Amino acid sequence: MSLQTPDHHEAHGPGLGGRLNWLRAAVLGANDGVVSTAGLVVGVAGATDARGTLLTAGLAGLLAGSMSMAAGEYVSVSTQRDSERAALALEKCELATEPQAELVELTELLEGKGLSRQLAQEVAEQLTEHDALRAHAEVELGIDPDDLTNPWQAAGASFLAFTAGALLPLLAIVLPGAGQRLWITVVAVLAALALCGWSSARLGAAPAGRAIGRNMAGGALAMGVTYAAGALLGAAGV
Ligand SMILES: [Zn+2]
């Protein structure tokens, strides 16, 4: 919130909260890539040891997952941006047609944030004089009109985060020799999940131990279930 900033242009860069959100989303995306690709390749490894098959399955999983993440992110951010634009347009219209009511509204909102009646009135008047739309966008809607999230950027970030995570189990299952690949993959995946759990706990200022445990348990479960399914199908000669 740039209420106290004398020059509002200084407040335009992504703030600490924004950066933390991006970082948290990146960790979650990478975690997703690790778990889903690990489950996929370990499942296929339960049925076959052929490197070409493992590579094909893992690569297809990586691409399908990263594009699905990117598309989902694009759609959700676009929708959010559309509704933010609509809210801004409505606000602009209200400011033009009933400026007095809008000034009262802004005053009350500022009062609700803890300012005294008189100070709220003064602040509201000055903000309205300076840039009424920005003041209403920030105080009333909680958005920065110059900094709406770009859906392409969000989609690209999701794509990269998922791909980075997915590469780990893919390489771990494909590169080692036949007798080694399974345990190397399991160990690498559990280590990566411990790291992801630790980072996301630290970013959210939550206790790390439980986050690490839950994250590793989720990945172990995914690999266990798909391995069992793959082994059953492999044994049945499917
Ligand atoms: Zn308003």
Side-chain angles (χ1 to χ4, degrees), residues 164-191:
L167 276 174
L168 177 90
L170 177 60
L171 295 177
I173 203 89
V174 166
L175 293 181
Q180 319 286 318
R181 59 173 49 117
L182 204 55
W183 73 263
I184 289 180
T185 303
V186 170
V187 170
V189 163
L190 291 179

Side-chain angles (χ1 to χ4, degrees), residues 153-234:
Q153 223 170 43
S158 293
F159 183 91
L160 289 180
F162 186 98
T163 300
L167 276 174
L168 177 90
L170 177 60
L171 295 177
I173 203 89
V174 166
L175 293 181
Q180 319 286 318
R181 59 173 49 117
L182 204 55
W183 73 263
I184 289 180
T185 303
V186 170
V187 170
V189 163
L190 291 179
L193 292 181
L195 185 66
C196 286
W198 179 82
S199 330
S200 66
R202 290 310 301 268
L203 290 169
R210 262 176 289 169
I212 292 173
R214 277 194 290 254
N215 208 28
M216 289 173 78
L221 182 67
M223 289 188 288
V225 168
T226 56
Y227 182 78
L232 279 174
L233 288 175

Side-chain angles (χ1 to χ4, degrees), residues 143-167:
I143 56 181
D144 179 346
D146 294 333
D147 194 23
L148 303 186
T149 312
N150 180 334
W152 287 107
Q153 223 170 43
S158 293
F159 183 91
L160 289 180
F162 186 98
T163 300
L167 276 174

Side-chain angles (χ1 to χ4, degrees), residues 38 50 68 71 95 131 156 174 209 233:
S68 147
L95 280 167
D131 187 341
V174 166
L233 288 175

Side-chain angles (χ1 to χ4, degrees), residues 103-141:
L103 183 62
V104 171
E105 180 193 52
L106 187 59
T107 305
E108 281 166 359
L109 285 167
L110 289 166
E111 223 184 331
K113 284 182 188 289
L115 299 187
S116 72
R117 177 89 205 167
Q118 197 186 347
L119 185 56
Q121 203 147 14
E122 230 168 281
V123 171
E125 275 163 15
Q126 287 193 22
L127 286 176
T128 300
E129 207 173 306
H130 178 63
D131 187 341
L133 183 60
R134 164 172 296 277
H136 280 259
E138 290 184 349
V139 177
E140 187 183 343
L141 309 172

Side-chain angles (χ1 to χ4, degrees), residues 21-85:
N21 280 340
W22 276 98
L23 220 52
R24 205 172 297 158
V27 171
L28 286 178
N31 199 84
D32 232 0
V34 171
V35 174
S36 71
T37 310
L40 181 62
V41 295
V42 166
V44 177
T48 175
D49 214 21
R51 180 173 273 142
T53 309
L54 289 166
L55 178 61
T56 308
L59 196 60
L62 180 154
L63 290 171
S66 55
M67 290 197 291
S68 147
M69 291 280 288
E73 194 66 12
Y74 181 83
V75 169
S76 102
V77 170
S78 297
T79 307
Q80 187 193 335
R81 197 172 63 165
D82 287 349
S83 61
E84 286 173 348
R85 279 184 175 154

